[in-house]
Structures are given as C-alpha cells and as structure tokens.
C-alpha cells in the first residue's frame, strides 16, 4: 500500500477530535500513514505565558533564538507527545519525531529578516520508511535541521507537501479549521486546478495560513493525484475524505472531483 500524508492543524487538535480515532482505524487497515502537525496557536499562547517578546517583519513573526526554544518545546515536545500519547491510548501505535531526528528534514534560513525560519532543502525518507515498515504511524513535528545553525522553525503545511512529494504519497489531506478554500465572496470552492490555485494566491483571495497550505498541495501533486483541504472539526472528516467524500477543496493535477482521483 502506498503511504498517505495527513496534516493536522493546531487549531483542530483536541481530545474530542475524531481524527485520531480515524488514524487508528487506518492503521488497523494496514494503511501506512505519516501525520504532520502544526501548533501555531499553542506557540502564541506559550510565548505570551512565558513573556517572550514577539517581533514582526512584514506582518510575519520573527523567530529569534529565544522564540525557537519555545517553538521546539511546544511543537516537538508538548503537541507531538500529546498526539502520540492519544493515538497510543486509542489502541494505535505511533512514534513521534521532529525533522531533526535522523536528519529527516534539511533546511536553511529562508529569509534572514524572519530569523530562524527554515526553507526545506531536502527530505530523507529513510527515517519515515523505517517507522512505516515497522507498522508505526509516524507523527512529525515541523522542525528542520541546518548543518551550521541546528534546528529551524518550518511551516507544517510545507513539511507535509515536501514529505508527500518525497515518499510518493497516494493521498495528501489537510485538516484545518475552515470548510475549505473560499472564493472572494467567502463561498467554499470544491475543486481547483493548479493554475486556478496560483491565481487565487496572486490575487490575494487566498491569504495568511491558507497560502502555505495551497502551495503545499501543489507541491504534493508531484506524487498524489489530488490534494484535499477539508474541515477537521467535522466528525470523521479524515475517513470520509479517504473513502471519497471530499468535502472541502480538492486541488487536482487535472480538473475534476476528489472522488474522480481514484479512476
Ligand atoms: N481564501 C481563504 N479561504 C479559507 N481560509 C483562508 C483563506 N485565506 C486565508 N484563510 C485563513 O487560513 C486559515 C487556515 O490556516 P491556519 O494556518 O490558521 O490553520 P492551520 O494551518 O490548520 O493550523 P496550524 O497553522 O496551527 O497548523 C483560516 O482559518 C483562514 O483564516
Ligand atoms: Mg497553518
């Protein structure tokens, strides 16, 4: 079976989230699965709680050395281990790792103005293959590794897209806190071609946290026939998506519906 890559948005994480039950069910069906998680909202909360000053450049948060300590503690520590523990409590078998483990994700500073934020230069599939071959769900925290600087903060969507492209994922699903990609009137767009997706970014209709998500879908299309952005707050959204009920926005190599990708 070809692996699948699932990105879980920090905002959709919670004990009531049926996504974790879905992941355990997929494991029971022998589906190799890589989960990548975000955690932007937890990071913001902890930076405030710890009184770490936040600086912005062009509206984007700058990651200085002190912020990176919090980012790592929250993402690779708390969020990653809570996810792994919850999956294991539900009867699944998961192992958590960050991009620094086994040099899974190599990166370099993306833009010096933004500080310790990484652009991915390569993904080594070996650490993931090792876990998937042994029957574990791999739960990845989005921290990259730079030979000189050490750990770097990376957007989780970007990590999911790069991993999907590298391991030849069959499906790439983003679970987030909105119904899908909205048009300028706020209506969810059910299906997008590569060109249409690029136009929505260029025109500013797709903004903020949706930009790396749409870009990651386009990257993932190097291997997946389609990528899906869907509402992770809907019960069993993940199993539904993999069974062909693609609520949300499907981005396809060729125009069509999410359900058509298996043809
Ligand atoms: N055209 C658009 N359609 C839908 N959402 C959009 C659009 N443009 C911007 N957004 C914003 O993108 C957000 C989703 O990205 P966000 O980064 O906040 O969540 P996430 O990636 O699921 O979580 P995390 O970053 O913690 O992993 C939505 O909540 C919405 O505010
Ligand atoms: Mg995000």
């Amino acid at each position: 079976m070809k692996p699948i890559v699932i990105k879980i948005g920090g905002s959709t994480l919670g004990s009531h989230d049926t996504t974790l039950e879905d992941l355990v069910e997929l494991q029971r069906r022998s589906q190799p699965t890589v989960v990548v998680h975000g955690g932007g909202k937890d990071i913001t909360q902890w930076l405030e709680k710890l009184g770490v000053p936040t600086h912005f450049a062009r509206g984007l948060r700058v990651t200085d050395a002190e912020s990176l300590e919090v980012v790592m503690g929250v993402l690779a520590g708390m969020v990653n281990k809570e996810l792994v523990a919850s999956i294991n409590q539900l009867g699944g078998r998961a192992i958590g790792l960050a991009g620094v483990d086994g040099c899974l994700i190599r990166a370099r500073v993306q833009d010096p103005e933004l500080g310790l934020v990484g652009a991915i230069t390569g993904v080594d599939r070996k650490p993931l293959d090792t876990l998937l071959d042994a029957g574990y769900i791999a739960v990845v925290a989005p921290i990259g590794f730079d030979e000189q600087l050490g750990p770097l903060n990376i957007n989780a969507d970007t990590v999911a897209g790069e991993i999907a492209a590298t391991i030849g994922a069959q499906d790439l699903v983003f679970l987030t806190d909105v119904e899908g990609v909205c048009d300028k009137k706020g209506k969810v767009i059910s299906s997008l071609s590569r060109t249409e997706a690029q136009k929505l970014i260029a025109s500013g209709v797709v903004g903020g946290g949706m930009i790396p998500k749409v870009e990651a879908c386009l990257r993932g299309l190097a291997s997946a026939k389609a990528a899906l952005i869907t509402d992770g707050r809907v019960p069993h959204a993940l199993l539904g998506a993999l069974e062909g009920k693609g609520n949300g926005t499907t981005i396809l190599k060729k125009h069509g519906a999410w359900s058509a990708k298996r043809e």
Side-chain angles (χ1 to χ4, degrees), residues 7 155 157 209 212-213:
K7 153 76 196 314
N155 182 282
D157 297 327
K213 220 177 291 301

Coordinates of all heavy atoms in Angstrom, one line a residue, residues 7 155 157 209 212-213, ligand 2:
K7 N -2.0 16.3 7.2 CA -1.6 17.4 8.1 C -2.7 17.8 9.0 O -3.9 18.0 8.6 CB -1.2 18.6 7.2 CG -1.4 20.0 7.8 CD -0.3 20.4 8.8 CE -0.7 21.5 9.7 NZ -1.3 22.7 9.1
N155 N 7.1 25.9 8.5 CA 5.6 25.8 8.4 C 5.2 24.3 8.2 O 5.8 23.6 7.3 CB 5.1 26.6 7.3 CG 3.6 26.6 7.2 OD1 3.0 25.6 6.7 ND2 2.9 27.6 7.8
D157 N 2.6 22.9 7.0 CA 2.0 22.6 5.7 C 3.1 22.3 4.6 O 3.0 21.4 3.9 CB 1.1 23.8 5.1 CG 0.0 24.1 6.0 OD1 -0.6 23.2 6.6 OD2 -0.4 25.3 6.2
G209 N -2.6 31.8 6.6 CA -2.2 30.4 6.8 C -2.7 29.6 5.6 O -2.3 28.4 5.5
P212 N 0.5 28.8 2.5 CA 1.4 27.7 2.5 C 0.6 26.4 2.3 O 1.2 25.4 1.8 CB 2.1 27.7 3.9 CG 1.2 28.6 4.7 CD 0.6 29.6 3.8
K213 N -0.6 26.3 2.7 CA -1.4 25.1 2.5 C -1.7 24.8 1.1 O -1.5 23.7 0.6 CB -2.8 25.3 3.3 CG -3.2 24.0 4.0 CD -4.5 24.3 4.8 CE -4.4 25.2 5.9 NZ -3.4 24.7 6.9
Ligands
LIG2 MG1 -1.1 27.0 9.4

